[in-house]
Amino acid sequence: MAAGTCFVLTVKKDFFLMLREHSDIDRHARWSDVKKKVDSDSRYKSVESSGQREDWFREYCKILKEEKKKAKEKDREHKKEKDKEKHKKKDKDKDPDKHSKDKSKQEHKLEKSKRDLEEPEDIPMKDAEEMETDVPPGDDDRAKELKEKQARAEASMREREKEVQRTLATHMRDRDKEREQHKRDEAIQHFNALLSDLVRNSDLGWREVKRLLRKDHRWDLADSLSREEKEKLFNEHIEHLIRKKREKFRELLDETGDVTLTSTWKEIKKMIKEDPRYTKFASSDRCEREFKDYLKDKMITAKGEFKELLQETKLITHKSLTTLRENENHMQEIEDILKNDRRYLVLDHIPEERTQLILNYLEELDRRGPPPPPTASEPSRRSVK
């Protein structure tokens, strides 16, 4: 028998043995109740699908039913034998002479049967041949049909064995993949822990760090990782360190109230040079580049907030551009309202660009046209009385 079939039969045998160990599981038991009792057993878990478990449970119930039926038949036979013996004993006690006569008759019959066996009746050769060849024609068809049926059964069994082997092979491959993935995940975890403990300077290169890491016993725990994978993890770690230091540096700039969109690195550097978030971040040139990037981001944020201010201003509508073309003072009217808000004032150092942002917004509203009436965007509500 193929290895796959043997494996399935072993699993099935263990599953049946598990069910038999629970004396309260009889042929009337329900699978939903039984499942709760045995779902923690390893023999339950070793069966791949829940459908297969239920099918085997039903098969087990049929076996219990057959066993009970056979036990009942055996009890009936035993009872019959007992009754027969009882009757014989009564007859023997009633008529001992009759019993001895019956016994001698039986012995006589047995003797005759022995003689018949020792001296068989001669059968002519011709009659014997006729007996051998005298097979009803229907038997050949039946034999052929049985043979074909057996061949089909064997072919089906072979196909089933192949299917089991394929399923088993797939299962084994998946399990091997999972095992390999687990080993790889563990190796990555060990290597990242090693980097976190030993590499805290983002200016170090892979070559010098590698020499340092090799001295630690945890280096061997990451043997399954290739050189390229280790270097990639190192680069990711360095990027993480730089990102954390950048966040701390920007946090420092946010806390420095004197930093505005017009501030220069020279004046800001004097204010923050003693803070460890500046000294630990990077060189002075690197800090200056980061400061400039910080101001660019602040400018983008300021322009976005100014656009929100324009949207909140009720004086500005889809008709404002037409009004401005007819009356040049309309822009001054708009700016007089806006200048009371911090989001307008923060762009004082770029007044022309700020005015252009207002014009761009007016053109956008003009293209869109009048806003839809409230009933077009919201479903009509019936008044509740």
Side-chain angles (χ1 to χ4, degrees), residues 106-156:
Q106 285 176 1
E107 287 173 355
H108 179 68
K109 281 181 183 178
L110 185 62
E111 192 66 34
K112 190 173 181 300
S113 299
K114 282 182 182 178
R115 284 200 303 273
D116 289 343
L117 287 168
E118 288 168 0
E119 299 171 5
E121 187 180 346
D122 293 335
I123 300 170
M125 185 61 71
K126 187 179 177 184
D127 291 345
E129 287 174 1
E130 283 175 2
M131 283 172 67
E132 286 177 2
T133 56
D134 189 17
V135 180
D139 286 358
D140 287 342
D141 295 339
R142 199 178 297 111
K144 188 178 178 183
E145 189 181 334
L146 285 169
K147 196 172 181 182
E148 287 174 356
K149 190 175 180 182
Q150 187 178 355
R152 284 196 300 274
E154 287 173 358
S156 176

Side-chain angles (χ1 to χ4, degrees), residues 213-262:
L213 298 179
R214 282 182 187 277
K215 295 175 184 177
D216 195 290
H217 71 279
R218 288 172 291 178
W219 173 269
D220 296 332
L221 297 174
D223 272 350
S224 58
L225 299 177
S226 67
R227 185 179 61 80
E228 291 79 11
E229 286 174 321
K230 287 175 181 174
E231 189 172 356
K232 185 184 175 186
L233 289 172
F234 164 75
N235 290 332
E236 287 173 359
H237 176 68
I238 293 297
E239 285 173 12
H240 174 68
L241 289 178
I242 293 169
R243 192 163 53 249
K244 274 182 73 177
K245 287 180 180 179
R246 184 189 291 120
E247 286 169 4
K248 291 289 181 186
F249 181 67
R250 288 199 169 209
E251 195 177 273
L252 170 62
L253 294 174
D254 285 337
E255 290 171 8
T256 307
D258 294 328
V259 177
T260 65
L261 293 174
T262 56

